[in-house]
Amino acid sequence: DTIAGKEWLKQSADNGYILACHPYGWLLLQESNPLAYIYLKRIVEIDFPLAYTDYGKCYYYGIGTACDYDEAIKYFKKSIEIGVIENYPSLLKDAYLFMGYCYDFGKGVSADYNTAMKFYQKAIDVNNLDGYNQMAYLYAKGRGLKTDFKEAHRLIDIAISESSGNPKYLDSKGEFYLLENKTNEAIEVWNKLKQIAPEVETTIDTEFTKKMRSLILGRIDTDIPINPTNNNSKAYVVIIANETYQ
């Protein structure tokens, strides 16, 4: 099982099996555990290319070390250089994506949406679904190009389909609908998202989930019949904890 496998990797890495440092460091990185940096550094120090991008992520996010975008970019570029030479897509997928992030959000470089787009496209070319997601955002928000919701939905639909409905990509699609002021379509996505990941109603905070919680809590159901008994009667509709009472 996962816990036993993780413990085996830790013991192997701690007992000198250096190659175990990469998968164990990767697992720690998914948890934002500061120890990820230590284990990934060990494997990077023997020039193990598969670990370059993950090591760069430690600098990008400041996990186990100070946030340093210059260092992050250095390792993303090293991964890309070797990946291109060796024709090794697994070295390229996240390295291209994170270089896109750097140019998209101005991390360690000046923001440049055109360059970000080029890196996202490269990530797409090696089938990184997050590349589709980020490219879709560029179209939906008109960053560096004309806003194009049709293209944004086309791209995000590919990510949703290829990932069998990953909640992250459904969240993006819902946000695009909100940007278009298509509330009913956003609610449809929200309902699908709740079925897959119920925690979105309480603990997951994204632009979409925060807006939808606010929208649903404040939404009056106009289909509720309100029939005053006389001209002086007043009727009120109150939304309490997503339940409707008249």
Side-chain angles (χ1 to χ4, degrees):
D1 58 44
T2 302
I3 296 176
K6 183 178 177 182
E7 182 59 28
W8 181 87
L9 286 171
K10 180 181 186 304
Q11 291 180 12
S12 297
D14 290 344
N15 289 328
Y17 183 58
I18 193 68
L19 293 181
C21 288
H22 182 217
Y24 184 58
W26 180 86
L27 288 171
L28 294 174
L29 187 62
Q30 309 317 300
E31 304 167 357
S32 298
N33 188 321
L35 292 176
Y37 175 77
I38 294 173
Y39 285 93
L40 290 171
K41 184 176 182 179
R42 291 179 187 173
I43 192 74
V44 165
E45 285 177 342
I46 65 166
D47 289 325
F48 188 71
L50 289 174
Y52 287 159
T53 297
D54 290 330
Y55 189 57
K57 291 178 187 178
C58 289
Y59 284 108
Y60 185 91
Y61 290 117
I63 296 174
T65 186
C67 183
D68 187 332
Y69 296 120
D70 289 338
E71 280 295 295
I73 288 171
K74 180 175 82 173
Y75 284 97
F76 299 153
K77 285 183 174 179
K78 287 182 71 170
S79 189
I80 290 170
E81 181 181 358
I82 295 174
V84 170
I85 293 172
E86 300 294 335
N87 191 26
Y88 207 147
S90 63
L91 285 174
L92 299 170
K93 292 179 72 170
D94 277 5
Y96 281 145
L97 179 72
F98 273 79
M99 285 301 297
Y101 288 161
C102 289
Y103 282 98
D104 196 349
F105 305 110
K107 304 295 188 181
V109 292
S110 297
D112 183 336
Y113 297 131
N114 288 328
T115 302
M117 182 182 293
K118 290 176 183 178
F119 277 113
Y120 290 150
Q121 184 59 56
K122 288 177 181 292
I124 289 171
D125 291 343
V126 289
N127 202 34
N128 186 324
L129 297 184
D130 282 342
Y132 286 99
N133 187 55
Q134 293 306 124
M135 185 76 88
Y137 267 100
L138 292 182
Y139 280 102
K141 295 193 172 183
R143 295 206 297 257
L145 39 72
K146 184 179 179 180
T147 299
D148 186 339
F149 287 113
K150 182 178 180 180
E151 182 64 8
H153 283 293
R154 185 189 73 80
L155 290 164
I156 203 62
D157 284 345
I158 293 173
I160 291 170
S161 176
E162 292 293 319
S163 67
S164 300
N166 187 314
K168 174 169 65 174
Y169 305 137
L170 282 171
D171 182 277
S172 297
K173 188 172 183 67
E175 186 177 347
F176 299 162
Y177 279 133
L178 288 180
L179 289 171
E180 295 176 89
N181 294 316
K182 292 184 175 180
T183 304
N184 290 334
E185 288 86 345
I187 290 174
E188 288 181 13
V189 174
W190 173 248
N191 289 333
K192 290 180 183 177
L193 195 56
K194 287 191 299 181
Q195 292 177 357
I196 299 171
E199 62 272 20
V200 299
E201 293 190 84
T202 54
T203 59
I204 295 180
D205 287 331
T206 66
E207 288 298 314
F208 179 60
T209 61
K210 288 187 290 186
K211 289 177 181 177
M212 289 307 297
R213 288 197 294 262
S214 176
L215 175 66
I216 297 299
L217 285 171
R219 187 178 176 83
I220 295 177
D221 192 340
T222 55
D223 293 330
I224 297 174
I226 301 176
N227 300 308
T229 57
N230 57 60
N231 291 336
N232 294 323
S233 298
K234 294 181 179 180
Y236 299 91
V237 174
V238 181
I239 307 298
I240 302 177
N242 286 352
E243 298 295 334
T244 306
Y245 300 89
Q246 179 176 333

